[in-house]
């Protein structure tokens, strides 16, 4: 039986200090963080009128039918990059989906708004049973109501979201939604826990609700190790803070797309170079690049983030195992490699 509760448990490598406030403060009901992105409506308009968009080509060829293992247990974890920020993580006998979107548009309506350019790399009907869904924030390319409804009907998973996002999940049974502040955890069946983690981002879904819902990354923590999902984020010192408290993850899912123009995007989105710096800050775990090639959300073209990441990977002498640029739908199996507890002490900053 799956159960959830917000707990303040620490990993062996660093027990979060409940006294150490590393999260939001509220002003007039809106979430703020010390490294808050400062771009506003004027900047948005300036970008809209000076755009130099890259090239995109639409190809919605569906992937072939597939059968994934129903469960993956113990000291391994299987990761399937579906596309954009949607990733399936299978471990500890549980299946967890990040920021699921199968819709044709990342938008409140399906007749306008950012269009999908690549089909999801796994057909929805080929998903194994989904136990938990983590959603990093309420932007439409991450919190897609149509997909949430479909998951609710066909899988009835637990939804784990940052604070004040429950209101964006109408039709989901309330007892299966857990809202977390940064560093808080939800237990999955006593074996796995999901922890909300800092991200440098913002939120908005309607005209007047900017930053009224919180945002986060997530850790999926197993006794043997953990997987880090960064959500949407700009570069900041939070990657160092995460490593200092939790140690180096066994895999980091890091966004690389929608990073241009830099003057507008850099506080909110990692560039490929930023992602490699974030990986260094996290202690150089293997990384999977996400958030590219699916929705046209910045001025970078469809292949530009991946082309630049390949170049940066080569310049740093990194291989394809260390920096995984997955095909849409590609899966890999990893082994947890427990680090000695002392390692995180070296990582403290
Ligand atoms: Zn976002
Ligand atoms: Zn996004």
């Amino acid at each position: 039986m799956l159960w959830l509760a917000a707990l303040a448990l620490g990993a062996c490598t660093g027990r979060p200090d409940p006294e150490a406030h590393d999260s939001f403060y509220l002003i007039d009901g809106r979430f703020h963080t010390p490294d808050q992105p400062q771009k506003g409506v004027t900047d948005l308009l300036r970008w809209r009128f000076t755009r130099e968009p890259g090239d995109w080509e639409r190809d919605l060829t569906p992937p072939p039918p597939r059968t994934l293992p129903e469960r993956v247990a113990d000291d391994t974890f299987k990761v399937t990059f579906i596309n954009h920020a949607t990733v399936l993580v299978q471990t500890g006998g549980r299946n967890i989906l990040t920021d699921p979107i199968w819709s044709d548009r990342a938008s409140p309506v399906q007749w306008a708004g950012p269009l999908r350019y690549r089909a999801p790399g796994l057909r929805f009907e080929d998903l194994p049973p989904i136990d938990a869904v983590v959603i990093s924030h309420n932007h439409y390319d991450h919190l897609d109501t149509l997909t949430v409804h479909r998951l609710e009907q066909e899988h009835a998973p637990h939804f784990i979201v940052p604070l004040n996002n429950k209101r964006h999940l109408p039709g989901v049974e309330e007892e299966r939604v857990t809202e977390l502040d940064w560093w808080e955890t939800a237990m999955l069946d006593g074996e796995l826990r999901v922890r909300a983690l800092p991200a440098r981002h913002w939120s908005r879904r309607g005209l007047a609700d900017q930053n009224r819902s919180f945002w986060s990354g997530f850790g999926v923590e197993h006794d043997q190790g953990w997987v880090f999902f960064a959500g949407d984020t700009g570069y900041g010192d939070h990657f160092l803070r995460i490593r200092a408290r939790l140690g180096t993850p066994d895999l980091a899912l890091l966004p690389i797309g929608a990073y241009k123009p830099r003057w507008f995007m850099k506080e909110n989105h990692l560039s490929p170079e930023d992602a490699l710096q974030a990986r260094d800050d996290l202690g150089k775990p293997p990384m999977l690049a996400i958030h590219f090639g699916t929705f046209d959300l910045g001025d970078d073209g469809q292949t530009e983030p991946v082309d630049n990441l390949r170049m940066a990977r080569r310049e740093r002498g990194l291989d394809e195992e260390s920096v995984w640029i997955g095909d849409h739908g590609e899966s890999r199996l990893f082994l947890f490699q427990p680090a000695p507890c002392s390692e995180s002490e070296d990582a403290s900053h």
Side-chain angles (χ1 to χ4, degrees), residues 81-241:
F81 172 57
I82 294 169
N83 64 18
H84 201 56
T86 308
V87 178
L88 171 67
V89 179
Q90 298 180 274
T91 190
R94 295 287 151 200
N95 298 327
I96 297 145
L97 208 48
T98 67
D99 290 359
I101 177 164
W102 264 260
S103 295
D104 284 341
R105 287 184 189 270
S107 168
V109 290
Q110 287 300 302
W111 46 267
L115 201 57
R116 173 182 286 284
Y117 280 80
R118 284 290 299 271
L122 183 75
R123 302 183 320 160
F124 188 89
E125 52 270 40
D126 290 342
L127 280 170
I130 298 300
D131 303 294
V133 171
V134 301
I135 297 179
S136 62
H137 64 299
N138 71 7
H139 287 154
Y140 287 97
D141 57 317
H142 297 259
L143 197 165
D144 178 54
T145 311
L146 290 175
T147 305
V148 165
H149 282 159
R150 211 167 160 194
L151 284 163
E152 172 68 3
Q153 278 168 2
E154 297 183 30
H155 295 266
H158 285 258
F159 289 86
I160 303 166
V161 294
L163 293 176
N164 210 26
N165 279 282
K166 193 183 272 192
R167 66 207 183 110
H168 301 305
L169 304 173
V172 174
E173 254 182 58
E174 235 188 278
E175 64 196 31
R176 280 189 287 99
V177 182
T178 301
E179 292 184 328
L180 298 178
D181 188 4
W182 291 356
W183 305 106
E184 284 184 336
T185 58
M187 294 299 295
L188 298 185
D189 225 10
E191 227 184 284
L192 281 181
R193 53 187 177 265
V194 172
R195 185 187 304 273
L197 290 169
R200 188 179 185 201
H201 207 60
W202 62 294
S203 72
R204 184 171 66 207
R205 220 163 152 78
L207 288 176
D209 65 348
Q210 184 160 331
N211 295 343
R212 289 196 185 276
S213 298
F214 204 25
W215 50 90
S216 74
F218 287 99
V220 176
E221 300 176 7
H222 185 279
D223 286 345
Q224 308 272 342
W226 70 290
V227 178
F228 173 51
F229 166 57
D232 245 0
T233 184
Y235 181 73
D237 65 4
H238 55 289
F239 299 107
L240 288 170
R241 304 201 311 271

